[in-house]
């Protein structure tokens, strides 16, 4: 079969196959095996490549694990990297376009024709052609447009600002993760201290309740007295059960924040509690720091530039466009005198009707700028309120810790007295259990007060917008990252006027029974 017949036939067959494939496409639901495989892969990505927990976790190690393995923060890291990649992609759009083409053209007959004279209008009856039926075409074209360059230039600036906005969002997520870890860690430490004692007291209370029921069945005490005794024991069991649930939730929350694999045992470093720092009393300095450092304000500031570039792009499309073109062409047609040639061109164009948009664009530019400024000012006011409320809340939390310490001391003395006065009577046993329950509740309240004070300090720290992260997380192991976080936080607290002096009356060591 001749070559000029094979090529068109192959094109027809390929087109038919393509159309048949497109017409046979139908929605395809994932199978159960594919779904199970997806779950296995997702779980592997959740907990894969984590350093094993080989020792009790300190607060700074918990913060390091959360920032290194927390999925929300890792997502923000990827979004920041994606914004940087998109910025690089956008910058290439400013380059001229260099297009290479290659093709094949053919027809089933000759493109010939007759002609007439221009002057005498005499017709030449002999038909002729100067084009082969089948020929190869190649080309290489270079074009540059002033309008495309201007639009790409502003788009690149927008992508750069969006990259900076993504970085500010990453900073905010890191700050929020650190605040959540601080809140959950100290509650989890209290849970680790109190859970065994709560379980032992629950067991003792349950035994005392069984003994009371047996005494009721035997008629050893008046019915009203024994029922009141059982009522008191049931109240104690309810109170302890509720507190135990709170403690379990704290440990579960911390495990989720540091992305601990399911079934892992969470053991925290039960060291001497750090004294609660005193916040600086100069609120104006804290407010100035927050206006300088908060990621939300910086993000809004970058957003203003993004909106301004949108309007600049719209204005750029109003003005004349200049296009420069150069191309090299090749045609295998043997009847041509020159089978290859180059072409150049210059074109200027202007859409006159678009100039009518200029007044509206000027008004929109002014309104957009005022709106962005007002949004940023309103956000700044909200941030200043957070700083003021955070400082007040932290000072009240420190006072609550002092009161909880005093309550704990009194209940410790009451327990000692009840144990010293214990006898063999049921009422005496009940009084000891009550005293132990009150003392355990005071310990819970003291641990809760200290964790609330730590959480209040974390909110104040977060309201100022200070960063605690090194340049790169992936290049540090957990121990090194924890030391970097501790060093950075201590330096920032000292240098940023968050601390006037270390408190000596707050944050006493926990009194053990």
């Amino acid at each position: 079969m001749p070559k000029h017949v094979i090529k068109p036939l192959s094109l027809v067959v390929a087109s038919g196959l393509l159309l048949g494939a497109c017409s046979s496409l139908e929605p395809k639901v994932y199978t159960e095996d594919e779904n199970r495989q997806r779950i296995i892969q997702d779980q592997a990505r959740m907990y894969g490549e984590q350093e094993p927990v080989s020792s009790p976790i300190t607060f700074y190690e918990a913060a390091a694990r959360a920032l290194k393995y927390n999925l929300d923060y890792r997502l923000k890291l990827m979004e920041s990297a994606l914004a940087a990649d998109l910025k690089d992609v956008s910058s290439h759009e400013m380059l001229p376009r260099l297009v290479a083409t290659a093709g094949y053209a053919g027809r089933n007959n000759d493109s010939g024709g007759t002609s007439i004279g221009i002057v005498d209008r005499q017709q030449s009856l002999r038909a002729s052609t100067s084009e082969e039926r089948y020929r190869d075409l190649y080309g290489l074209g270079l074009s540059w447009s002033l309008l495309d360059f201007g639009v790409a230039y502003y788009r690149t600036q927008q992508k750069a600002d969006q990259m900076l906005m993504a970085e500010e969002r990453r900073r905010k997520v890191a700050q929020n993760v650190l605040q959540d870890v601080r809140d959950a860690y100290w509650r989890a430490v209290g849970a680790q201290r109190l859970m065994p004692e709560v379980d032992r007291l629950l067991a003792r209370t349950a035994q005392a309740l069984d003994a009371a029921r047996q005494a009721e069945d035997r008629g050893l005490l008046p019915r009203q007295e024994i029922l009141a005794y059982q009522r008191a024991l049931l109240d104690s069991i309810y109170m302890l059960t509720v507190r135990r649930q709170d403690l379990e939730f704290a440990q579960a929350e911390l495990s989720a924040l540091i992305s601990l694999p399911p079934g892992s045992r969470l053991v925290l470093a039960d060291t001497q509690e750090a004294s609660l720092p005193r916040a600086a009393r100069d609120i104006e300095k804290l407010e100035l720091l927050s206006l300088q450092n908060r990621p939300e304000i910086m993000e809004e500031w970058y957003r203003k530039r993004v909106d301004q570039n949108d309007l600049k792009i719209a204005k750029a499309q109003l003005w004349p466009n200049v296009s420069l073109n150069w191309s090299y062409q090749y045609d295998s047609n043997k009847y041509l005198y020159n089978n290859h040639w180059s072409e150049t061109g210059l074109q200027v164009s202007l859409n006159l009707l678009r100039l009518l948009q200029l007044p509206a664009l000027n008004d929109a530019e002014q309104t957009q700028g005022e709106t962005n400024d007002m949004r940023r000012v309103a956000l700044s006011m909200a941030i200043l309120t957070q700083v003021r409320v955070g400082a007040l809340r932290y000072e009240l939390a420190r006072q609550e810790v002092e009161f909880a310490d005093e309550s704990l001391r009194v209940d410790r003395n009451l327990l000692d007295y009840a144990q010293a006065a214990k006898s063999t009577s049921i009422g005496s046993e009940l009084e000891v259990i009550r005293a132990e329950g009150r003392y355990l509740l005071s310990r819970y309240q003291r641990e809760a007060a200290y964790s609330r004070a730590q959480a209040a300090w974390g909110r104040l720290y977060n309201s100022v917008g200070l960063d605690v992260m090194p340049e790169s997380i992936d290049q540090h192991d957990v121990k090194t990252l924890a030391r970097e976080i501790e060093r950075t936080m201590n330096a920032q607290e000292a240098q940023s006027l968050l601390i006037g002096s270390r408190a000596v009356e707050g944050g006493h060591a926990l009194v053990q029974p």
Side-chain angles (χ1 to χ4, degrees), residues 5 51 67 114 197 265 272 345 364 428 434:
V5 177
E51 296 181 33
L67 292 173
T114 60
E197 298 185 30
R265 184 168 176 262
Q272 182 79 10
S428 176
R434 283 177 174 174

Side-chain angles (χ1 to χ4, degrees), residues 189-190 192-197 200 270-273 405 408-409 411-413 415-416 419 439-440 443 446-447 508-513:
V189 168
Q192 182 175 281
R193 291 168 176 169
L194 297 180
M195 284 275 285
E197 298 185 30
R200 285 195 295 269
D270 192 359
T271 57
Q272 182 79 10
E273 289 179 352
D405 284 333
L408 183 62
R409 183 188 64 81
D411 287 329
R412 172 75 261 186
N413 293 334
L415 177 58
D416 293 340
Q419 290 176 338
Y439 173 69
L440 198 56
R443 289 188 60 194
R446 198 274 170 191
E447 295 286 352
H508 296 300
L510 181 66
V511 180
Q512 297 293 339

Side-chain angles (χ1 to χ4, degrees), residues 151-224:
V151 171
Y153 175 76
Y154 291 127
R155 292 293 186 198
T156 302
Q157 289 185 333
Q158 283 186 318
K159 295 300 181 182
D161 288 332
Q162 289 170 355
M163 179 185 69
L164 296 174
M165 291 170 63
E167 181 64 16
E168 296 300 329
R169 289 192 293 270
R170 181 200 64 80
R171 287 181 56 216
K172 185 58 182 176
V173 170
Q175 293 171 4
N176 289 339
V177 167
L178 178 63
Q179 176 183 330
D180 294 340
V181 169
R182 187 191 294 272
D183 184 13
Y185 180 84
W186 293 110
R187 289 191 292 114
V189 168
Q192 182 175 281
R193 291 168 176 169
L194 297 180
M195 284 275 285
E197 298 185 30
V198 171
D199 291 338
R200 285 195 295 269
L201 187 56
L202 278 172
R204 281 192 58 198
T205 307
Q207 293 176 358
L209 183 61
D210 291 337
R213 289 168 179 165
Q214 294 176 7
E216 179 186 4
D217 295 337
R218 298 175 183 176
L220 300 178
L221 291 173
R223 183 173 179 80
Q224 183 178 3

Side-chain angles (χ1 to χ4, degrees), residues 12-142:
V12 172
V13 173
S15 301
L17 293 176
L18 180 60
L19 292 175
C22 293
S23 62
S24 62
L25 291 178
E26 294 181 357
K28 182 180 180 182
V29 180
Y30 285 115
T31 63
E32 293 185 2
D33 291 338
E34 291 173 333
N35 194 28
R36 282 193 295 267
Q37 188 65 27
R38 187 263 308 169
I39 294 174
I40 294 173
Q41 293 175 356
D42 289 348
Q43 288 179 334
R45 296 187 66 179
M46 288 179 191
Y47 308 109
E49 300 181 359
Q50 288 194 17
E51 296 181 33
V53 180
S54 58
S55 60
I57 301 174
T58 65
F59 164 69
Y60 295 106
E61 289 175 355
R65 284 188 170 273
L67 292 173
K68 190 174 179 65
Y69 301 127
N70 184 272
L71 297 180
D72 290 336
Y73 182 71
R74 289 164 67 182
L75 176 60
K76 291 302 177 183
L77 280 177
M78 293 181 179
E79 290 179 355
S80 181
L82 175 60
D85 293 339
L86 291 177
K87 182 255 182 184
D88 294 336
V89 171
S90 180
S91 64
H92 287 85
E93 294 180 359
M94 293 187 293
L95 298 176
R97 296 181 180 180
L98 182 63
V99 181
T101 60
Y104 175 81
R107 55 183 296 160
N108 65 340
N109 53 19
D110 293 318
S111 62
T114 60
S115 60
I116 62 175
I118 296 177
V119 178
D120 57 8
R121 314 301 294 175
Q122 295 295 318
Q123 181 179 9
S124 175
L125 298 179
R126 184 172 178 269
S128 63
T129 182
S130 61
E131 182 180 277
E132 287 187 287
R133 292 188 180 184
Y134 303 97
R135 64 194 191 280
D136 298 323
L137 303 173
Y138 302 99
L140 180 64
L142 180 68

